[in-house]
Amino acid sequence: MAFQDVEGKLESDLYGTGQVIEDFQKKMAAFLGKENAVFFPSGTMAQQIALRIWCDQKGVKRVAYHPLSHLEIHEEDGLKELHQIESVLLADQDRVVELEDIEALKKDVSCILLELPQREIGGQLPSYETLVNISNYCKSKDIKLHLDGARLLEVLPYYKVSAKEICSLFDSVYLSFYKGIGGIAGAILAGSHEFTQESKTWKRRYGGDLISLYPYIISANYNFDKRATEMNRYYTGAIELAELFNSCTRITTRPLQPVSNMFHVHFQASKEKMETILKELYKESDIGMTGNLREVNNKEAYFEVSIGDQYEVIPKEKLKKMFELLELKMHQI
Amino acid sequence: MAFQDVEGKLESDLYGTGQVIEDFQKKMAAFLGKENAVFFPSGTMAQQIALRIWCDQKGVKRVAYHPLSHLEIHEEDGLKELHQIESVLLADQDRVVELEDIEALKKDVSCILLELPQREIGGQLPSYETLVNISNYCKSKDIKLHLDGARLLEVLPYYKVSAKEICSLFDSVYLSFYKGIGGIAGAILAGSHEFTQESKTWKRRYGGDLISLYPYIISANYNFDKRATEMNRYYTGAIELAELFNSCTRITTRPLQPVSNMFHVHFQASKEKMETILKELYKESDIGMTGNLREVNNKEAYFEVSIGDQYEVIPKEKLKKMFELLELKMHQI
């Protein structure tokens, strides 16, 4: 679908140049309110590069972020192995980063990375006031603030601000195109002209300056236009669905009331038990809940929900019946 | 075209797993005669990772390659900046690497990278005997041999051997899908099970383990099937076309007789002068020769030719007339 309306004569991007990539980068820079933006094959690459640039600029090879940051748990220690950058972990892993955590830092850091929403704890958010305070604090201490905005669009309905407004609090911003937006892959890194120019050099060093990135760019652009305006609908859906889960015995969502299109569903029952229940439920209700149930300990299991276009496709009556069935099963444990 | 025959229900690859990526990796491993193969977004990433693995294994952060290797001139020093690996340059930049260059190494290296054909000097090749000797020598000295086979398929007609046979001389092999094969982008890195497993960890560190690589894999597979068997035709075309160039005044190809589908065309005339001539020629003959004429010094210019499907589309009579026109112009300089 993304390619259906593309002109056959549109030329491929070529090592970061050409209309297809430059136009999209300009569009994203304007949307995020930054001087410039660079398209990357992945957020992993984009964010490591952002942190490296800030470390080089300050001459301090240390950054700080949440203990469950993508960089800390999903990247095989790329930041440390490729850049020898030390990470200081902010806050307990069960809550979001607050100003106090940053004020309590004992060592100087070049950059602080904030992930909005904090995915691994169900997509929680600090207050907007906290963001403003952190931003001001970092400015006063010569610490760069980087936004892991993989799901940036998804938090705008809760904060009730524009992407530009949030991004103005940060020196650099990363945005993903295959989360709520639903592209194939790819990311944008945005910031000042100088910062983005330097990021292009690193992109080449990483082997991320592909001869052609258009399959990702065209799908990113198509899906951005399609879904950027739908985030409020997803957010409302998440609140509604979380309420239904919370009305069941032995089920709690995290956060209790979602602040984006995502949340985690926690069951006070073993993973094994819950697998049996969810399989039965799928057979009886024809609604599949997850393919990725995770164990917390022997007594608890959870899965992640991200609301997109599919949620509203389920008839409300059918959903209600499924929850009645689920409640019956949870009650009988 | 690549996507036309893909089943609509084919599932996307997911972070390096799934049928679409695993099947292609198996196919390439078998074709190259290696235990395993890993699909990468780019050769830059794949090759740096290969060299890093060999350096770590030996505990020596030093590798050797040709002075005009891709790693040395096109990657913004990624190998040095990301891995602190020192490069020793083999041979003069005007010729290919010979066994003597390797025997003359004064410092121990973990790995030697050979690029076949050596692109930046017109795609030249050492003799097959030299390759065998280098391979044996490296084995005896505990030096790993890595093949920069960006254009590996393109050299098989000259060597008259299979990809498997050549690859058996090397510990690790990289193959590109957007040179002679004509895919969108992407590369394969092949070697032992242990080596490729480690390369996957580094792929994740680099941010190359994209959620989905299928746009590149599907086009690579389609174009591999379409063109892997056509390399002899391209090679023959290159020999024929080079002869035509060499029959002209002030024009020489490098090498004089191509050993793959590529060669360089050198003009004994300034870049400025040649731009005028080639523009006129294009208007008069309707054959465009290059969009990338490069200067050697004030007196010489050159461009690169890679023969693919388009060459045979030009009627021989039309080509002959173009060369008559070109000879006239070159003669009048």
Side-chain angles (χ1 to χ4, degrees):
Chain A
M1 280 190 285
F3 279 77
Q4 239 160 25
D5 294 331
V6 174
E7 254 195 87
K9 281 190 177 181
L10 179 67
E11 278 193 48
S12 168
D13 54 312
L14 188 72
Y15 296 117
T17 65
Q19 191 193 324
V20 65
I21 188 164
E22 287 169 25
D23 283 1
F24 187 62
Q25 289 176 164
K26 272 181 205 150
K27 177 176 169 174
M28 287 301 111
F31 176 76
L32 300 169
K34 294 293 179 194
E35 273 179 29
N36 242 315
V38 181
F39 191 86
F40 277 83
S42 76
T44 296
M45 193 185 289
Q47 295 208 107
Q48 286 178 15
I49 287 173
L51 298 187
R52 171 65 187 255
I53 292 171
W54 296 136
C55 282
D56 280 356
Q57 195 177 98
K58 192 170 184 174
V60 172
K61 284 215 153 190
R62 199 179 300 115
V63 298
Y65 48 58
H66 192 272
L68 298 179
S69 162
H70 196 273
L71 287 112
E72 196 64 17
I73 64 172
H74 289 308
E75 302 182 7
E76 294 277 358
D77 274 340
L79 191 71
K80 294 160 196 174
E81 295 284 343
L82 288 167
H83 301 285
Q84 295 75 51
I85 292 174
E86 184 191 334
S87 64
V88 181
L89 305 181
L90 294 165
D92 304 328
Q93 65 169 46
D94 292 333
R95 61 167 180 84
V96 297
V97 175
E98 300 289 346
L99 177 60
E100 293 69 32
D101 301 308
I102 296 171
E103 287 174 334
L105 276 171
K106 280 169 192 145
K107 289 177 176 178
D108 192 17
V109 298
S110 296
C111 180
I112 285 165
L113 174 147
L114 289 186
E115 184 186 344
L116 305 179
Q118 198 71 51
R119 181 207 180 169
E120 299 289 342
I121 50 172
Q124 298 183 47
L125 286 174
S127 73
Y128 197 76
E129 197 194 346
T130 297
L131 291 186
V132 173
N133 291 340
I134 289 178
S135 176
N136 288 334
Y137 180 83
C138 286
K139 274 195 190 83
S140 77
K141 298 286 178 187
D142 188 26
I143 297 171
K144 297 294 178 184
L145 195 57
H146 171 80
L147 171 56
D148 179 341
R151 296 166 180 78
L152 171 62
L153 302 190
E154 290 87 322
V155 307
L156 302 180
Y158 172 75
Y159 282 137
K160 292 189 176 67
V161 298
S162 69
K164 260 190 197 179
E165 279 173 89
I166 289 199
C167 292
S168 72
L169 305 174
F170 293 84
D171 298 286
S172 52
V173 175
Y174 142 65
L175 176 67
S176 171
F177 294 103
Y178 63 90
K179 313 292 189 319
I181 293 172
I184 301 175
I188 272 285
L189 182 64
S192 71
H193 180 72
E194 194 192 340
F195 169 83
T196 50
Q197 274 306 109
E198 211 175 329
S199 81
K200 284 183 188 178
T201 303
W202 281 106
K203 184 181 165 189
R204 176 153 282 242
R205 287 180 181 141
Y206 264 70
D209 192 19
L210 304 195
I211 184 166
S212 303
L213 282 163
Y214 70 82
Y216 297 135
I217 297 166
I218 288 171
S219 76
N221 189 38
Y222 171 84
N223 286 295
F224 179 86
D225 288 347
K226 191 177 167 188
R227 299 212 174 87
T229 51
E230 300 301 316
M231 295 296 162
N232 203 50
R233 199 157 57 83
Y234 303 156
Y235 169 53
T236 314
I239 292 175
E240 179 190 280
L241 185 61
E243 252 181 43
L244 287 168
F245 275 113
N246 286 313
S247 71
C248 294
T249 307
R250 296 176 214 273
I251 302 183
T252 326
T253 69
R254 187 188 197 194
L256 264 179
Q257 186 170 73
V259 289
S260 70
N261 73 326
M262 76 166 290
F263 57 89
H264 286 178
V265 179
H266 284 255
F267 300 102
Q268 280 181 284
S270 71
K271 187 180 174 232
E272 219 181 354
K273 183 77 203 162
M274 283 315 303
E275 271 171 359
T276 311
I277 289 180
L278 294 182
K279 273 181 203 164
E280 286 173 11
L281 194 68
Y282 175 47
K283 277 186 196 157
E284 294 164 21
S285 72
D286 198 33
I287 298 178
M289 218 175 263
T290 180
N292 191 9
L293 193 67
R294 282 171 273 185
E295 198 165 30
V296 184
N297 47 48
N298 289 331
K299 291 177 198 159
E300 224 176 295
Y302 79 99
F303 71 95
E304 185 178 290
V305 173
S306 286
I307 298 289
D309 297 333
Q310 293 300 304
Y311 173 63
E312 286 187 5
V313 173
I314 304 171
K316 294 296 170 222
E317 197 49 38
K318 198 173 165 182
L319 195 67
K320 201 184 141 202
K321 274 192 186 147
M322 187 211 75
F323 273 100
E324 283 166 11
L325 274 168
L326 178 60
E327 169 58 18
L328 213 67
K329 289 175 197 295
M330 295 306 291
H331 197 76
Q332 283 167 357
I333 288 177
Chain B
M1 280 190 285
F3 279 75
Q4 239 160 25
D5 293 332
V6 174
E7 255 195 85
K9 282 190 174 177
L10 179 68
E11 278 193 48
S12 168
D13 54 311
L14 188 72
Y15 296 115
T17 65
Q19 192 194 325
V20 66
I21 188 164
E22 287 169 23
D23 283 1
F24 187 62
Q25 290 176 164
K26 272 180 205 151
K27 177 176 169 173
M28 287 300 111
F31 176 75
L32 301 169
K34 295 292 178 195
E35 273 178 29
N36 242 315
V38 181
F39 191 87
F40 277 84
S42 76
T44 296
M45 193 186 289
Q47 295 207 108
Q48 287 178 15
I49 287 173
L51 298 186
R52 171 65 187 255
I53 292 171
W54 296 136
C55 282
D56 280 356
Q57 196 177 96
K58 191 169 183 175
V60 172
K61 284 214 154 189
R62 199 178 302 116
V63 297
Y65 48 58
H66 192 272
L68 298 179
S69 162
H70 196 274
L71 288 112
E72 196 64 18
I73 64 173
H74 289 308
E75 303 182 6
E76 294 277 0
D77 275 341
L79 191 71
K80 294 158 197 176
E81 295 284 343
L82 288 167
H83 300 285
Q84 296 76 50
I85 292 175
E86 184 192 334
S87 63
V88 181
L89 304 181
L90 293 165
D92 303 329
Q93 67 169 46
D94 292 334
R95 60 167 179 85
V96 297
V97 176
E98 300 289 346
L99 177 60
E100 293 69 34
D101 301 309
I102 296 171
E103 287 174 333
L105 277 171
K106 280 169 193 148
K107 288 177 177 179
D108 192 19
V109 298
S110 296
C111 180
I112 285 166
L113 174 147
L114 289 186
E115 184 186 344
L116 304 179
Q118 198 70 52
R119 181 208 180 166
E120 298 289 342
I121 50 173
Q124 298 183 46
L125 286 174
S127 72
Y128 197 74
E129 197 194 345
T130 297
L131 290 186
V132 174
N133 291 340
I134 290 177
S135 176
N136 288 334
Y137 179 83
C138 285
K139 275 196 190 82
S140 77
K141 298 287 179 186
D142 187 28
I143 297 171
K144 297 293 178 185
L145 195 57
H146 171 80
L147 172 55
D148 178 341
R151 295 166 180 78
L152 171 62
L153 302 190
E154 289 87 323
V155 307
L156 302 180
Y158 172 76
Y159 281 138
K160 293 189 177 64
V161 296
S162 67
K164 261 189 196 178
E165 278 174 90
I166 291 199
C167 292
S168 72
L169 305 174
F170 294 84
D171 297 287
S172 53
V173 174
Y174 142 64
L175 175 68
S176 172
F177 294 104
Y178 63 90
K179 314 304 195 297
I181 293 171
I184 301 174
I188 273 284
L189 182 64
S192 71
H193 180 72
E194 194 192 341
F195 170 83
T196 50
Q197 274 307 108
E198 210 174 331
S199 81
K200 284 183 187 178
T201 303
W202 281 106
K203 184 181 164 188
R204 176 151 282 241
R205 285 180 182 141
Y206 265 70
D209 191 19
L210 304 195
I211 183 167
S212 303
L213 282 164
Y214 70 81
Y216 296 137
I217 296 166
I218 288 171
S219 77
N221 188 39
Y222 171 84
N223 286 295
F224 178 86
D225 289 347
K226 191 176 167 188
R227 298 212 175 87
T229 51
E230 301 301 315
M231 295 296 161
N232 202 51
R233 199 157 58 82
Y234 303 156
Y235 170 53
T236 313
I239 291 175
E240 180 190 278
L241 185 61
E243 253 181 43
L244 288 168
F245 275 113
N246 285 314
S247 70
C248 294
T249 305
R250 294 175 214 274
I251 302 183
T252 325
T253 69
R254 187 188 196 194
L256 264 179
Q257 186 169 73
V259 290
S260 70
N261 73 326
M262 75 167 290
F263 57 90
H264 286 179
V265 179
H266 283 255
F267 301 101
Q268 280 181 284
S270 71
K271 187 179 175 236
E272 219 181 354
K273 182 77 202 161
M274 283 315 303
E275 272 172 357
T276 311
I277 289 180
L278 294 182
K279 273 182 203 163
E280 286 174 12
L281 195 67
Y282 174 47
K283 277 187 198 156
E284 294 164 21
S285 72
D286 199 34
I287 298 178
M289 218 175 264
T290 180
N292 191 9
L293 193 67
R294 282 171 273 183
E295 198 166 31
V296 184
N297 47 48
N298 288 332
K299 292 176 196 161
E300 224 176 296
Y302 80 98
F303 71 95
E304 184 178 290
V305 174
S306 286
I307 299 289
D309 298 333
Q310 292 300 304
Y311 174 63
E312 286 187 4
V313 173
I314 305 170
K316 294 298 170 220
E317 197 48 39
K318 197 173 167 184
L319 195 66
K320 202 184 141 201
K321 273 192 187 148
M322 187 211 76
F323 273 101
E324 283 166 10
L325 274 168
L326 179 59
E327 169 58 19
L328 213 68
K329 289 174 197 297
M330 295 306 291
H331 197 75
Q332 283 167 357
I333 288 176

